[in-house]
């Protein structure tokens, strides 16, 4: 969005529930600072056009306290707390337009599409009443978005997307949501035109360059930034934390992938250290799960469908092996994007 001409401040959190949040993922990058003063945030927005920071003593201080409490009191999925947490940060940012990605499905606290739509409408109504033009995109999490689940692993995937690659479902969601926001900000006439503009920024390198500028402005040295933008999943050792071990998950049957249970994969990543159960728990940025198969793909008995990246002894449980659902014939794949709540 910043590469397309918008000023985009983002106040985020470290993590809720099964996996690390946006800030935890970015803290995988050596030197990245999430705690910035108001003056620093303003300066970065003026010079770079975007920043991703945490709550401060002056910006959403109560949400910072509530965020930790929700993580360990079983209230991550409480609708009222979700609405207040998200919208308080967005209003504090001083933004004029907002697009929300509201999840539903096996890897979401919302459960079914109906519950997600109720939450989306509540979020939109509150935000609009406070002067922020808001729309919400409902997208399912029956299967993990993209291929990576974990902190460093998701950073690698995000960088690939910023450089015009990455999984198709991730790119589709990014372009749709960005297109809506560009339309709301009146930079384009239609969301389709906005989606094309955003896709062009991914393909021509301008989005990746803007990300590089933001990283440097938030404390990452230029050598690390350059290495990060020139890596892939196989040459990550000099940039991001890397797990000591990789254990393969293999299929016990032949057919077509119907689904890989997002909740089971997220719980596994969390148990390895990608998420936390208590505020004092230390997070492991290197661990997680990397999927090799997507819904609709053909799979053979004994073929690898996932990689578990871990630092402590691990043996695949029946629960994670059962996360892979295989059917004899290729079924219609549920679209990642379900609905846009206007």
């Amino acid at each position: 969005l910043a590469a397309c001409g918008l000023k985009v401040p983002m106040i985020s959190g470290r993590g809720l529930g099964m996996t690390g949040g946006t800030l935890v993922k970015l803290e995988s990058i050596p030197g990245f600072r999430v705690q910035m003063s108001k003056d620093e945030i303003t300066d970065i927005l003026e010079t770079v056009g975007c920043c991703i920071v945490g709550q401060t003593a002056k910006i959403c201080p109560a949400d910072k306290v509530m965020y930790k409490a929700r993580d360990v009191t079983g209230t991550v999925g409480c609708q009222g707390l979700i609405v207040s947490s998200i919208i308080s940060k967005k209003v504090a940012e001083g933004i004029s337009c907002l697009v929300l990605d509201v999840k539903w499905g096996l890897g979401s606290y919302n459960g079914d599409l109906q519950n997600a739509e109720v939450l989306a409408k509540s979020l939109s109504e509150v935000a609009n009443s406070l002067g922020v033009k808001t729309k919400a995109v409902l997208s399912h999490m029956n299967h993990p978005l993209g291929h990576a689940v974990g902190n460093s692993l998701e950073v690698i995937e995000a960088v690939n997307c910023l450089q015009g690659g990455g999984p198709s479902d991730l790119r589709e969601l990014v372009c749709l949501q960005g297109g809506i926001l560009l339309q709301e900000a009146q930079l384009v006439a239609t969301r389709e035109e906005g989606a094309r503009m955003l896709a062009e920024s991914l393909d021509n390198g301008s989005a990746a360059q803007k990300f590089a500028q933001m990283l440097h402005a938030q404390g990452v040295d230029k050598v690390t930034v350059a290495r990060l933008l020139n890596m892939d999943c196989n040459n990550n050792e000099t940039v991001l934390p890397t797990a000591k071990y990789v254990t393969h998950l293999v299929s016990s049957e032949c057919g077509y992938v119907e689904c890989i249970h997002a909740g089971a994969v997220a719980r596994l990543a969390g148990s390895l250290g990608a998420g936390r159960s208590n505020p004092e728990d230390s997070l492991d940025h290197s661990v997680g799960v990397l999927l090799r198969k997507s819904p609709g793909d053909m799979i053979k008995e004994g073929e690898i469908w996932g990689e578990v990246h871990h630092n402590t002894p691990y043996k695949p449980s029946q629960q994670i092996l059962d996360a892979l659902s295989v059917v004899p014939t290729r079924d219609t794949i549920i679209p990642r994007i379900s609905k846009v709540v206007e």
Side-chain angles (χ1 to χ4, degrees):
L1 289 169
C4 294
L6 292 181
K7 301 291 186 183
V8 190
M10 181 174 178
I11 301 172
S12 188
R14 277 198 164 77
L16 285 176
M18 293 174 281
T19 60
T22 302
L23 297 185
V24 171
K25 300 178 198 310
L26 288 169
E27 286 177 328
S28 302
I29 305 170
F32 188 82
R33 290 177 55 213
V34 300
Q35 295 305 131
M36 313 287 286
S37 69
K38 183 178 178 181
D39 288 342
E40 286 176 313
I41 293 171
T42 301
D43 182 61
I44 294 172
L45 285 174
E46 289 301 317
T47 57
V48 177
C50 59
C51 64
I52 303 176
V53 300
Q55 309 99 322
T56 72
K58 293 185 177 180
I59 304 175
C60 298
D63 184 62
K64 188 173 185 178
V65 176
M66 291 295 294
Y67 216 79
K68 289 183 178 180
R70 288 170 61 202
D71 208 8
V72 296
T73 57
T75 55
V76 172
C78 175
Q79 181 172 308
L81 295 177
I82 292 172
V83 173
S84 62
S85 177
I86 292 174
I87 304 306
S88 66
K89 290 194 286 284
K90 299 311 163 191
V91 173
E93 291 164 358
I95 59 175
S96 58
C97 306
L98 175 64
V99 172
L100 297 162
D101 182 20
V102 180
K103 300 297 189 188
W104 65 275
L106 299 173
S108 165
Y109 292 101
N110 288 319
D112 60 25
L113 178 58
Q114 184 177 6
N115 288 335
E117 188 164 1
V118 170
L119 174 60
K121 288 180 177 178
S122 295
L123 287 162
S124 297
E125 287 173 3
V126 173
N128 281 306
S129 72
L130 294 169
V132 182
K133 291 190 294 183
T134 302
K135 288 184 169 58
V137 176
L138 302 180
S139 60
H140 83 78
M141 280 292 279
N142 289 324
H143 178 93
L145 178 64
H147 301 150
V149 180
N151 298 311
S152 291
L153 295 175
E154 289 188 45
V155 169
I156 297 170
E157 187 166 78
V159 170
N160 288 338
C161 181
L162 286 166
Q163 295 175 322
S168 58
D169 61 342
L170 176 60
R171 180 183 171 102
E172 177 190 21
L173 192 60
V174 166
C175 290
L176 171 66
Q177 293 176 347
I180 293 172
L181 203 50
L182 289 170
Q183 182 190 24
E184 288 297 296
Q186 299 183 334
L187 267 66
V188 296
T190 66
R191 68 181 57 164
E192 291 77 16
E193 184 183 351
R196 289 192 295 271
M197 177 185 263
L198 203 79
E200 184 178 349
S201 76
L202 298 175
D203 294 334
N204 66 19
S206 61
Q209 185 57 37
K210 189 62 68 175
F211 181 62
Q213 292 170 6
M214 185 193 78
L215 292 181
H216 184 58
Q218 292 190 229
V220 184
D221 67 76
K222 290 185 177 181
V223 173
T224 299
V225 172
R227 286 177 175 171
L228 182 67
L229 295 181
N230 285 284
M231 72 180 186
D232 57 35
C233 290
N234 298 313
N235 72 349
N236 170 29
E237 292 83 357
T238 60
V239 187
L240 303 178
T242 306
K244 295 178 183 177
Y245 312 109
V246 175
T247 296
H248 291 150
L249 302 173
V250 300
S251 176
S252 60
E253 51 190 323
C254 298
Y256 295 88
V257 175
E258 179 183 40
C259 181
I260 298 176
H261 195 298
V265 173
R267 284 188 288 273
L268 170 58
S271 71
L272 296 170
R276 63 182 183 181
S277 300
N278 298 290
E280 297 79 19
D281 289 349
S282 59
L283 291 170
D284 189 339
H285 292 97
S286 67
V287 300
V289 181
L290 194 62
L291 302 180
R292 290 197 185 181
K293 292 291 183 178
S294 299
D297 288 349
M298 180 183 291
I299 193 167
K300 299 176 182 178
E301 183 179 356
E303 188 175 2
I304 297 169
W305 60 267
E307 301 174 0
V308 180
H309 293 237
H310 55 104
N311 289 316
T312 54
Y314 170 76
K315 181 180 179 180
S317 66
Q318 194 59 48
Q319 183 181 31
I320 192 61
L321 295 176
D322 289 343
L324 173 69
S325 175
V326 178
V327 292
T329 57
R330 192 193 303 268
D331 284 345
T332 301
I333 299 172
I334 300 174
R336 175 64 70 179
I337 298 164
S338 306
K339 186 176 183 179
V340 176
V341 176
E342 302 287 347

